[in-house]
Amino acid sequence: MASVSSLSFSVPSQYPERRAIVSSTRTLPTNFEGFRLRTSLSCHCGGIRASVSSRLAIHCMSTSIELPTVSETKLNFLKSYKRPIPTVYNNVIQELIVQQHLMKYKRTYRYDPVFALGFVTVYDQLMDGYPSDEDRDAIFQAYIKALKEDPEQYRIDAQKLEEWARAQTASSLVEFASREGEVEGILKDIAERAGGKGSFSYSRFFAVGLFRLLELANATEPTILEKLCASLNVNKRSVDRDLDVYRNLLSKLVQAKELLKEYMDREKKKREERAGVQKASEAITKCLGEYQHAGL
């Protein structure tokens, strides 16, 4: 069976996070098993005849946050979709589900429709040519549910952004901040969060989502991407790098699919040859039986 030895779609780095200016200590193990937050506040009030001093100590502790492991997420996928997947597709799916698990359970992660559009675009490109459309959709459902998210929301949001982008021009696409609308509101929210006013975790799926918007709006000039990134407070250099990785991934997959097709064609030919030999053998056996019967 043809296989892909390595298709790198690595977990991206995130923007530096702002630290709150409070007296606190926090530990967050890399395995996400738990965190400890401890904060001490003191208050002193004085009067003419009496003085009151008080000390307020707040201790907030959670020794364990039950976040699923990568193995659990992969197991959830396998429980949901039990049919075998051709190796060339399975290798990519397994790698992506590991990396998206790590994205999902980052502290700064927050779902947004551009991210969804990017993932749907990547998935549809990777699974193009899959033997069964029904199985392709079932794999998508199992994949997203394994991450404890809603596959229907991914599809609906992706379609919504695609329809919006088709109605845009290069100028209207980058000037979303000056207009009102559902998608414009989504992009404004992303810009605010990416600008430091909320949780935002950049990823390559997000970069692919931006590229898809430009592609559908027929606004593929590099200057338009630069303006859109500036409007969204996203680093264009990171987007350019990640789009190069995405293109390289698709190129490798095309080569792998060609190898798979050649393999499947050979196997089909062998099955047909074996079937032909079997039919010939059965015909000969039948003729011999009839001859012997007639001789008797």
Side-chain angles (χ1 to χ4, degrees):
M1 176 67 71
S3 64
V4 181
S5 59
S6 176
L7 290 178
S8 177
F9 204 67
S10 304
V11 180
S13 60
Q14 64 186 59
Y15 289 113
E17 299 172 12
R18 302 191 177 196
R19 296 183 178 178
I21 306 176
V22 293
S23 175
S24 64
T25 61
R26 179 183 300 158
T27 60
L28 180 62
T30 55
N31 60 4
F32 294 100
E33 290 179 351
F35 75 90
R36 182 164 63 97
L37 174 64
R38 180 177 178 180
T39 305
S40 295
L41 302 175
S42 64
C43 175
H44 179 77
C45 302
I48 296 176
R49 292 190 177 182
S51 63
V52 179
S53 67
S54 64
R55 186 174 184 83
L56 175 65
I58 301 175
H59 298 282
C60 175
M61 180 178 293
S62 175
T63 56
S64 63
I65 294 180
E66 296 298 330
L67 295 180
T69 64
V70 171
S71 296
E72 289 170 339
T73 296
K74 294 176 71 174
L75 182 60
N76 288 338
F77 171 75
L78 294 174
K79 286 180 178 178
S80 181
Y81 188 82
K82 300 178 180 180
R83 300 186 63 181
I85 300 174
T87 303
V88 65
Y89 296 99
N90 190 54
N91 287 348
V92 180
I93 289 170
Q94 292 299 323
E95 184 172 343
L96 286 182
I97 202 168
V98 169
Q99 295 170 19
Q100 193 166 349
H101 170 100
L102 298 177
M103 295 177 196
K104 165 70 186 294
Y105 293 107
K106 286 170 63 177
R107 189 163 51 85
T108 54
Y109 173 80
R110 177 175 164 183
Y111 170 89
D112 70 63
V114 175
F115 176 94
L117 174 61
F119 174 76
V120 168
T121 299
V122 170
Y123 182 85
D124 288 347
Q125 289 279 356
L126 295 179
M127 300 296 284
D128 181 47
Y130 196 78
S132 167
D133 291 341
E134 182 179 352
D135 287 343
R136 181 171 55 198
D137 183 63
I139 293 170
F140 180 86
Q141 296 276 333
Y143 180 106
I144 300 299
K145 288 179 179 178
L147 292 160
K148 302 186 184 302
E149 292 189 321
D150 184 359
E152 298 303 322
Q153 183 180 17
Y154 270 72
R155 287 292 185 187
I156 290 171
D157 287 343
Q159 183 178 2
K160 184 187 304 177
L161 263 64
E162 287 179 343
E163 292 174 353
W164 176 84
R166 289 189 181 97
Q168 303 305 308
T169 63
S171 59
S172 66
L173 187 66
V174 299
E175 294 171 358
F176 64 85
S178 63
R179 295 183 291 114
E180 297 297 326
E182 183 179 5
V183 175
E184 286 83 354
I186 291 170
L187 297 178
K188 290 176 188 179
D189 176 66
I190 291 172
E192 289 181 2
R193 291 189 287 111
K197 297 181 180 179
S199 295
F200 177 77
S201 182
Y202 171 81
S203 72
R204 285 178 177 161
F205 290 136
F206 184 88
V208 175
L210 292 185
F211 177 77
R212 182 61 175 159
L213 291 177
L214 295 171
E215 184 179 45
L216 293 172
N218 293 317
T220 55
E221 298 85 353
T223 55
I224 303 300
L225 176 59
E226 184 175 359
K227 291 178 181 178
L228 182 59
C229 289
S231 298
L232 290 169
N233 296 312
V234 174
N235 189 314
K236 181 179 180 295
R237 183 176 298 178
S238 296
V239 173
D240 286 336
R241 179 196 63 218
D242 293 337
L243 290 179
D244 285 340
V245 172
Y246 170 61
R247 296 184 187 101
N248 186 46
L249 174 67
L250 293 181
S251 176
K252 288 183 178 180
L253 190 68
V254 168
Q255 297 174 16
K257 285 181 179 179
E258 290 176 353
L259 292 175
L260 178 63
K261 185 177 183 302
E262 292 176 2
Y263 170 83
M264 295 180 71
D265 288 344
R266 288 198 302 269
E267 290 300 305
K268 182 180 179 181
K269 185 176 181 181
K270 289 179 181 178
R271 287 194 299 270
E272 291 174 347
E273 290 175 350
R274 287 195 294 268
V277 171
Q278 181 66 24
K279 287 181 179 179
S281 177
E282 291 174 354
I284 292 173
T285 301
K286 183 179 180 181
C287 288
L288 290 174
E290 291 175 351
Y291 175 77
Q292 293 174 353
H293 180 73
L296 293 174

